């Protein structure tokens, strides 16, 4: 698909960097933008809704979709499969909607191969110490798991140069403004504006 009216924003970050909170606030304060809902074969948890949290499918159906080339990216995590369906995203982009895809660096690399016009954003913590403090502040993980998450964070962050934008999540309000700025600037690009402002341009030039 050629460069559409809407934009796919691919956002990655190490665990604990604050990506989820920033994306949630961005969605609340920005119109005409949504989050991509992934497919998964894992069991639906209490309180989750099909089509809202995930598209829950059987393993056989997921594998069939892989064979048909239906996913922009997909991965196996332990015994479960996760994937981002291309059709869902491309339909929204053609209609002029912006879409956020929260994904790790490996998935982001797969998406860039198929949709090179996607805008890639990497969110960094302000320091290793702050990252570890945030992970410990959750009160959910053992020292062993936190050590593994810190190691994973180093691996994830090593791919920062593959992204278009870097945002350091230090001051939440300022960093949210940076994210919104990226979205709004993208909407002002020539192709998007000429399509949105057809009537105005005609009036001004007649």
């Amino acid at each position: 698909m050629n460069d559409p009216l809407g934009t796919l924003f691919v956002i990655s970050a190490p665990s604990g960097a604050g990506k989820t909170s920033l994306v949630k606030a961005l969605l609340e304060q920005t119109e005409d933008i949504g989050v991509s809902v992934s497919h998964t074969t894992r069991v639906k948890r209490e309180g989750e809704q099909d089509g809202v949290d995930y598209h829950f499918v059987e393993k056989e159906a997921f594998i069939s979709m892989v064979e048909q080339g239906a996913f922009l990216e997909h991965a196996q995590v332990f015994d479960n499969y996760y994937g981002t369906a291309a059709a869902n995203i491309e339909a929204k982009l053609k209609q002029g909607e912006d879409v956020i895809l929260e994904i790790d660096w490996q998935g982001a690399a797969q998406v860039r191969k198929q949709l090179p016009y996607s805008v890639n954003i990497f969110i960094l913590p302000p320091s290793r110490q702050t990252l570890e403090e945030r992970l410990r502040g959750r009160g959910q993980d053992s020292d062993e798991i936190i050590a593994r998450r810190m190691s994973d964070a180093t691996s994830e962050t090593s791919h920062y140069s593959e992204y278009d934008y870097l945002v350091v999540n230090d001051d939440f309000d300022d960093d949210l403004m940076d994210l919104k700025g990226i979205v709004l600037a993208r909407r002002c690009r020539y192709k998007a504006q000429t399509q949105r402002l057809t009537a105005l341009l005609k009036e001004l030039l007649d």
Side-chain angles (χ1 to χ4, degrees):
M1 183 173 66
N2 295 325
D3 187 5
L5 183 57
T7 297
L8 174 63
F9 295 94
V10 178
I11 303 182
S12 303
S15 178
K19 168 174 60 65
T20 301
S21 297
L22 281 171
V23 169
K24 180 181 178 181
L26 177 66
L27 292 170
E28 291 173 347
Q29 298 183 24
T30 310
E31 296 181 352
D32 299 323
I33 190 168
V35 174
S36 170
V37 179
S38 300
H39 284 67
T40 185
T41 60
R42 77 160 173 77
V43 176
K44 182 167 58 175
R45 297 169 183 162
E46 184 177 353
E48 290 183 328
Q49 296 181 345
D50 186 39
V52 177
D53 299 285
Y54 285 97
H55 296 290
F56 295 95
V57 297
E58 297 296 326
K59 181 178 178 180
E60 293 75 15
F62 191 99
I63 292 175
S64 176
M65 291 179 71
V66 172
E67 292 173 347
Q68 295 169 20
F71 291 117
L72 287 176
E73 60 79 31
H74 66 278
Q76 181 177 0
V77 181
F78 300 110
D79 295 328
N80 298 311
Y81 293 86
Y82 298 83
T84 303
N88 293 347
I89 289 180
E90 291 179 352
K92 291 183 177 181
L93 297 180
K94 286 180 180 178
Q95 294 170 2
E97 297 181 41
D98 293 328
V99 180
I100 293 175
L101 176 57
E102 299 179 65
I103 202 166
D104 67 11
W105 72 269
Q106 292 171 305
Q110 292 182 53
V111 172
R112 281 194 297 273
K113 287 183 179 179
Q114 295 199 55
L115 303 181
Y117 51 75
S118 61
V119 174
N120 292 251
I121 305 168
F122 196 91
I123 297 176
L124 296 162
S127 68
R128 285 186 61 83
Q129 179 180 344
T130 301
L131 180 63
E132 184 170 351
E133 289 173 353
R134 289 175 180 173
L135 291 172
R136 292 189 180 281
R138 295 175 177 177
Q140 299 174 341
D141 300 321
S142 65
D143 288 344
E144 181 181 357
I145 291 177
I146 288 175
R148 178 170 58 80
R149 290 190 184 280
M150 290 297 293
S151 176
D152 291 344
T154 299
S155 176
E156 182 88 18
T157 303
S158 69
H159 295 274
Y160 74 91
S161 61
E162 299 166 14
Y163 290 73
D164 303 305
Y165 296 91
L166 300 178
V167 174
V168 180
N169 187 10
D170 189 7
D171 182 286
F172 188 86
D173 290 338
D174 287 346
D175 305 328
L176 176 58
M177 188 179 300
D178 287 343
L179 266 185
K180 290 175 67 176
I182 293 169
V183 172
L184 296 177
R186 178 67 181 175
R187 290 180 177 179
C188 288
R189 72 191 189 280
Y190 173 82
K191 180 177 180 179
Q193 288 292 68
T194 53
Q195 291 187 54
R196 291 190 179 104
L197 304 177
T198 299
L200 173 62
L201 291 170
K202 185 178 185 303
E203 177 191 345
L204 293 172
L205 294 173
D206 279 350

